[in-house]
Amino acid sequence: MPTAGLLQRTGNVVWVDAVNGNDASGTSGDPLHPFLTVGAALAVAVSGDEILVYPGTYAESGLTVPAGTTLKSSGGYQVTRIGDVSAVADIVTLSADSQIEGFAVDCPDTLGLSGVLFDGGVSSASSIYNCQFHGDGAVGQGNGLRKIGGGKIIGAEIRFDTGGLRSCMVNESGVIAVESIHVPPGPGTIDAVVRGESAGRFQIADFNVGSPNVTDGVYC
């Protein structure tokens, strides 16, 4: 697994709890006062912080992970879900040198929108690890992971367990460097697992497409 993008926490942990949290009393660095929503926790996070999300479902969108921070679930994608297929914005946008880890992501059903978006500068990077993407389970038009701008996104152990996506991964500029990509059988169509557009470049290893509902594994 690539590790160059794994960030080391140098600041506070910001807790999020879908059951016991409270956005009004949530406090950065205080486990006894978690936030209720991911959006409220991200709003107070600064470079070096880790936003740690307890298991639950967070039907949020339009979230931005600040530069130099990590958005991480405490229990993994099996028990922590974020996003909404009916969202009218990208679910999570990664800033330069940020990271997302351990979420199931419900991707928007709208053409051009994505579960995770990275718009990086020329020399910036961002990371994604141990995430599972879900479309609408039918014939959706959104994307799982989308890369625009410059820079690079790196990662590993990424699954696309529910179809209904235009693209699992689409790159319009810069580099997507990932390994251990899994597309198991499941409901919903997928036009392309890997879609290259404009000037983007992919570096991929361990690429497993087992779903019969995929039209193109790689589309350039």
Side-chain angles (χ1 to χ4, degrees), residues 32-110:
L32 300 180
H33 293 88
F35 289 86
L36 177 67
T37 64
V38 176
L42 289 171
V44 303
V46 297
S47 182
D49 286 353
E50 178 179 272
I51 301 90
L52 189 62
V53 182
Y54 286 127
T57 297
Y58 301 83
E60 302 179 52
S61 60
L63 304 171
T64 297
V65 183
T69 65
T70 295
L71 177 61
K72 182 178 180 179
S73 74
S74 65
Y77 65 75
Q78 296 89 344
V79 293
T80 314
R81 202 171 186 112
I82 194 169
D84 183 356
V85 295
S86 63
V88 294
D90 298 301
I91 303 302
V92 176
T93 297
L94 298 174
S95 302
D97 304 315
S98 65
Q99 180 171 302
I100 183 171
E101 180 178 351
F103 289 90
V105 183
D106 287 319
C107 303
D109 196 20
T110 300

Side-chain angles (χ1 to χ4, degrees), residues 29-207:
D30 186 350
L32 300 180
H33 293 88
F35 289 86
L36 177 67
T37 64
V38 176
L42 289 171
V44 303
V46 297
S47 182
D49 286 353
E50 178 179 272
I51 301 90
L52 189 62
V53 182
Y54 286 127
T57 297
Y58 301 83
E60 302 179 52
S61 60
L63 304 171
T64 297
V65 183
T69 65
T70 295
L71 177 61
K72 182 178 180 179
S73 74
S74 65
Y77 65 75
Q78 296 89 344
V79 293
T80 314
R81 202 171 186 112
I82 194 169
D84 183 356
V85 295
S86 63
V88 294
D90 298 301
I91 303 302
V92 176
T93 297
L94 298 174
S95 302
D97 304 315
S98 65
Q99 180 171 302
I100 183 171
E101 180 178 351
F103 289 90
V105 183
D106 287 319
C107 303
D109 196 20
T110 300
L111 184 66
L113 296 182
S114 304
V116 175
L117 170 70
F118 177 50
D119 180 2
V122 174
S123 60
S124 65
S126 195
S127 307
I128 179 169
Y129 292 94
N130 301 312
C131 285
Q132 181 186 70
F133 289 86
H134 298 268
D136 67 359
V139 188
Q141 291 297 306
N143 306 300
L145 174 65
R146 181 178 176 221
K147 173 75 182 65
I148 61 178
K152 175 185 288 189
I153 186 166
I154 66 173
E157 295 300 334
I158 303 171
R159 298 178 63 90
F160 300 89
D161 275 20
T162 307
L165 293 168
R166 177 176 181 265
S167 310
C168 293
M169 298 183 291
V170 57
N171 192 7
E172 299 177 26
S173 183
V175 179
I176 294 180
V178 289
E179 66 179 53
S180 299
I181 307 303
H182 310 279
V183 190
T189 63
I190 296 173
D191 286 352
V193 177
V194 173
R195 183 183 299 272
E197 296 183 351
S198 304
R201 185 172 89 243
F202 280 95
Q203 298 167 195
I204 299 177
D206 299 330
F207 180 46

